[in-house]
Amino acid sequence: MKKVSIVIPTRNRAELLPATLESAFAAASDAEIIVVDDASTDDTEAVCRGTPGLTYIRLREQKGTSTARNEAIRASAAEFVAFLDDDDLRLPGSIDRQLAILDRAGESALICGRAFIGEPQYSLPTGWLVPDQGVVGDAFWQLLEANFIVVSTVVARRRVLLDCGLFDPELPTLEDYDLWVRLAEKYRFEYLDEPVAVYRARSDVSGQKTSDRAVHDQIHKDLHRRLLALPRAAEAPARWRRRVHRKHMAIIYDSLVYDAARSLLTGNVEAARSWLIAAMRMKPWHPKAPGSLLWLHLRKKHLQYEPSRVPTVPVMSIERRLG
């Protein structure tokens, strides 16, 4: 029996999958690689069947990432499960280093680490690292404030994943955040303060961005309220829950303005406008997004014809602060 099962859900990423698989084989010395194909229509099956040493499971109908990951977890035979998205990369030996910490930690549910941000086209590291810091021990309230866990850095005990009910297939997004909070309610976490993966950054044209941000934002709000109703949170004073919810929403708001700033820096004015509108829907009373949106409207013609000459504007202060 292998020490760890590396779970890779995939759909229509045949051109990216070989590099992801290569990184998975190099990340652990005693691992089984399980790829669950969520009814791909490209050459994913040929790529997987042409790669020796992995277990390939194909779903007949598209079921979503949660179902794909759950199928792999149930099919795994190892004590530990590592997660890797089909467009991300694992660094050599990284899973072995995390397993050594989990072995010493006793009953901790999982260990996560830091990830290089990779540029969208080739996943080459940009030099940026996330998160700034992690949590060792009780991570419940910190996670309720903000999700600091990159899914492709996680190694977890298989039995605790099963105990907490795995990923929720009813959630079309944020299913990983939901599971981390539910795990943190009951178990300790570990953290390796070094890079263990390369996380492929979103681009304005990638499939990683939701096509309907309003729906996504509503799901996010509803999910966070549901997480605040978990028994451990419900037992806390109401003022704690209100404070955590406000802080969580403020972080999401800032991330939307950050995405707008990043789009503006690359000359994508329409994407910047969509992020700012999404931020306004979340916090209509906050002046940052409306002010930046007004600035975009007044400077639209200039930005369309001379994107390389975009001056420093209020929306870009988020880029500097968060970057």
Side-chain angles (χ1 to χ4, degrees):
M1 186 172 65
K2 298 294 184 180
K3 179 78 170 179
V4 61
S5 301
I6 304 177
V7 167
I8 305 175
T10 190
R11 176 173 169 79
N12 291 341
R13 291 279 178 79
E15 75 285 0
L16 299 174
L17 195 55
T20 299
L21 293 174
E22 182 179 358
S23 76
F25 282 111
S29 57
D30 186 24
E32 62 172 352
I33 314 295
I34 304 177
V35 178
V36 178
D37 181 354
D38 192 18
S40 293
T41 57
D42 63 358
D43 294 330
T44 293
E45 182 170 2
V47 169
C48 292
R49 296 200 183 281
T51 304
L54 63 80
T55 299
Y56 174 68
I57 301 172
R58 178 175 172 83
L59 303 182
R60 293 183 179 181
E61 299 177 357
Q62 184 181 356
K63 298 292 187 179
T65 303
S66 291
T67 297
R69 288 194 185 117
N70 291 345
E71 287 288 333
I73 294 167
R74 294 189 184 102
S76 67
E79 179 183 359
F80 299 97
V81 174
F83 298 104
L84 181 59
D85 283 350
D86 58 2
D87 56 345
D88 292 344
L89 304 172
R90 262 289 185 163
L91 299 184
S94 58
I95 293 177
D96 282 340
R97 292 194 295 276
Q98 289 179 291
L99 285 172
I101 295 173
L102 271 184
D103 277 337
R104 296 194 299 268
E107 292 302 308
S108 293
L110 63 76
I111 183 170
C112 57
R114 305 186 78 188
F116 286 112
I117 299 295
E119 54 81 37
Q121 187 172 4
Y122 299 109
S123 293
L124 297 174
T126 62
W128 289 8
L129 279 168
V130 291
D132 291 334
Q133 61 183 16
V135 176
V136 175
D138 183 358
F140 181 68
W141 288 103
Q142 287 90 337
L143 273 171
L144 281 175
E145 288 186 356
N147 183 16
F148 57 84
I149 297 178
V150 178
V151 65
S152 291
T153 73
V154 171
V155 181
R157 297 184 190 275
R158 181 176 182 270
R159 62 176 177 79
V160 302
L161 295 173
L162 295 170
D163 176 64
C164 286
L166 304 178
F167 294 93
D168 184 351
E170 298 300 317
L171 281 174
T173 184
L174 301 169
E175 71 287 339
D176 54 332
Y177 177 53
D178 170 63
L179 179 57
W180 309 149
V181 175
R182 287 189 281 116
L183 286 170
E185 185 185 22
K186 297 181 178 181
Y187 298 98
R188 287 174 48 89
F189 285 9
E190 301 296 327
Y191 175 70
L192 179 59
D193 189 19
E194 64 180 63
V196 297
V198 179
Y199 168 72
R200 183 182 175 91
R202 298 173 303 179
S203 69
D204 292 331
V205 296
S206 77
Q208 290 171 281
K209 285 188 175 180
T210 176
S211 59
D212 189 341
R213 189 60 197 240
V215 173
H216 179 275
D217 292 342
Q218 189 58 52
I219 292 171
H220 202 150
K221 292 178 184 177
D222 293 343
L223 172 61
H224 198 251
R225 291 190 181 97
R226 189 175 84 185
L227 295 175
L228 285 171
L230 288 171
R232 183 175 171 188
E235 292 171 358
R239 66 179 184 278
W240 283 23
R241 297 194 297 275
R242 289 194 296 268
R243 179 184 60 81
V244 167
H245 186 68
R246 284 195 302 269
K247 188 167 185 178
H248 183 81
M249 290 298 108
I251 291 171
I252 300 305
Y253 179 89
D254 278 357
S255 74
L256 291 169
V257 182
Y258 169 85
D259 281 333
R262 187 178 58 183
S263 297
L264 190 58
L265 286 171
T266 60
N268 194 335
V269 179
E270 292 305 316
R273 181 180 291 107
S274 70
W275 294 124
L276 291 173
I277 291 172
M280 287 176 60
R281 284 197 299 260
M282 178 166 286
K283 297 178 70 174
W285 61 90
H286 200 290
K288 189 184 300 177
S292 298
L293 192 62
L294 177 61
W295 184 92
L296 278 180
H297 177 74
L298 295 175
R299 301 285 290 180
K300 181 179 179 181
K301 183 177 180 179
H302 171 77
L303 292 173
Q304 284 180 331
Y305 288 98
E306 299 180 89
S308 63
R309 295 177 57 189
V310 176
T312 301
V313 294
V315 70
M316 292 186 184
S317 65
I318 294 298
E319 173 77 14
R320 293 195 299 271
R321 182 163 67 84
L322 297 185

